[in-house]
Amino acid sequence: MNITVRVWRQADPYANGKMAIYKVDDISEHMSFLEMLDVLNERLTLRGDDPIAFDSDCREGICGMCGLVINGVAHGPLQTTTCQLHMRSFKDGDTIDIEPWRAEAFPVIKDLVVDRGAFDRIIQAGGYISAPTGTAPDSHATPVPKRDADRAFDAATCIGCGACVAACPNGSAMLFTAAKITHLGLLPQGQPERYSRVVGMVAQHDDEGFGGCTNIGECTAVCPKGIPLESISRLNRDLINALTHGGSHWPKAAPVREEGVEEEPVV
Ligand code: SF4
Ligand code: FES
């Protein structure tokens, strides 16, 4: 295949970027998209030009590092990660636009590499459980209903790639945050911090400059792991419960106190 790529080049976080055009000839249709970029970089290096900076690690669809906007779509034409996209998804002679994730909370470091540290800070704000140290507990010590285990596992497949943010017109990271809330909130081990978790993670999400969710659904359309919008409903239910009832289990709400009315002593 012979293709042309138009790639976002930006020397550093403060420089003005622009699209640069490169012809890439003799590409195999069996190459992954990242291998095509490797070939282009090899050619750029050999002729003394600065190679294009882009992120990748596992190249197996599991680490979430390889986010690129390809022809205006996060991860490109297939609902998968960029590393799992192959050149056979394009046609000989195509011109392909390649840009970094676009979101205020993901500043560009160089070319196609963005800083996704905001996701780490959201996790630090609550995406964990407290577990006693010591020897491993018996595997059946804490029974988990099969349905909950399956749904928690599905939510845990979120790889933190950030495609949901890049696709959202609001630049919201609610799908990512909701996947973590759902994963831990469905398991017994996640219950002690369930409500402080949702408050902390959503506060950090907002502090990082991510936008709010308005149920547009672009996030789920590009999510390579199929995290559903329903997870955001679950996050919202936990958040409302935490903020209004201090985390008592929905819908068993704590009594609403009226202005000026003394609370009945608990007997
Ligand atoms: S929810 Fe999906 S798109 Fe968003 S970070 Fe997780 S895997 Fe990526
Ligand atoms: S490089 Fe790890 S998911 Fe693509």
Side-chain angles (χ1 to χ4, degrees):
M1 297 171 72
N2 298 323
I3 56 162
T4 302
V5 290
R6 293 192 296 205
V7 185
W8 183 257
R9 301 298 315 257
Q10 182 174 334
D12 61 58
Y14 311 103
N16 287 330
K18 61 171 196 234
M19 298 297 268
I21 302 176
Y22 303 100
K23 288 207 162 302
V24 196
D25 293 339
D26 296 325
I27 291 294
S28 162
E29 62 177 356
H30 303 301
M31 280 179 181
S32 73
F33 198 82
L34 298 185
E35 284 168 338
M36 179 276 291
L37 285 177
D38 289 339
V39 169
L40 171 57
N41 271 348
E42 221 166 81
R43 293 175 187 172
L44 289 175
T45 308
L46 284 174
R47 71 181 199 212
D49 287 347
D50 191 24
I52 299 159
F54 65 92
D55 261 335
S56 75
D57 190 357
C58 70
R59 300 202 175 195
E60 291 182 345
I62 52 177
C63 76
M65 286 295 291
C66 58
L68 298 176
V69 175
I70 300 166
N71 285 343
V73 181
H75 288 309
L78 302 182
Q79 196 175 349
T80 184
T81 53
T82 302
C83 60
Q84 297 294 291
L85 178 68
H86 291 83
M87 295 312 295
R88 53 184 169 270
S89 292
F90 301 90
K91 292 194 303 292
D92 187 37
D94 271 358
T95 297
I96 305 169
D97 287 341
I98 311 172
E99 298 167 85
W101 283 169
R102 298 280 188 202
E104 193 183 318
F106 288 162
V108 172
I109 297 172
K110 185 179 179 188
D111 297 337
L112 303 173
V113 177
V114 299
D115 179 356
R116 287 179 301 133
F119 271 14
D120 296 334
R121 292 186 290 275
I122 292 175
I123 294 293
Q124 284 164 4
Y128 51 81
I129 60 161
S130 300
T133 54
T135 53
D138 284 346
S139 54
H140 297 306
T142 310
V144 181
K146 171 89 170 87
R147 186 163 176 265
D148 288 348
D150 287 349
R151 287 164 66 213
F153 184 85
D154 287 347
T157 59
C158 165
I159 52 174
C161 63
C164 44
V165 177
C168 177
N170 305 330
S172 175
M174 269 299 146
L175 196 66
F176 162 79
T177 311
K180 308 302 168 192
I181 297 283
T182 302
H183 163 207
L184 299 175
L186 280 167
L187 297 173
Q189 295 89 338
Q191 298 311 305
E193 289 109 346
R194 178 169 170 182
Y195 295 102
S196 58
R197 173 182 305 121
V198 69
V199 172
M201 291 180 79
V202 169
Q204 189 66 37
H205 169 282
D206 294 352
D207 282 355
E208 295 291 347
F210 293 110
C213 172
T214 49
N215 285 320
I216 293 169
E218 293 286 335
C219 51
T220 52
V222 296
C223 174
K225 300 301 166 182
I227 304 294
L229 269 188
E230 177 201 82
S231 335
I232 300 181
S233 311
R234 189 181 175 82
L235 175 149
N236 285 331
R237 281 199 301 276
D238 274 5
L239 184 64
I240 290 167
N241 195 5
L243 294 179
T244 57
H245 307 305
S248 63
H249 284 289
W250 188 273
K252 275 193 284 167
V256 179
R257 279 184 232 156
E258 288 173 29
E259 285 286 329
V261 178
E262 284 296 317
E263 195 180 353
E264 290 285 324
V266 179
V267 183

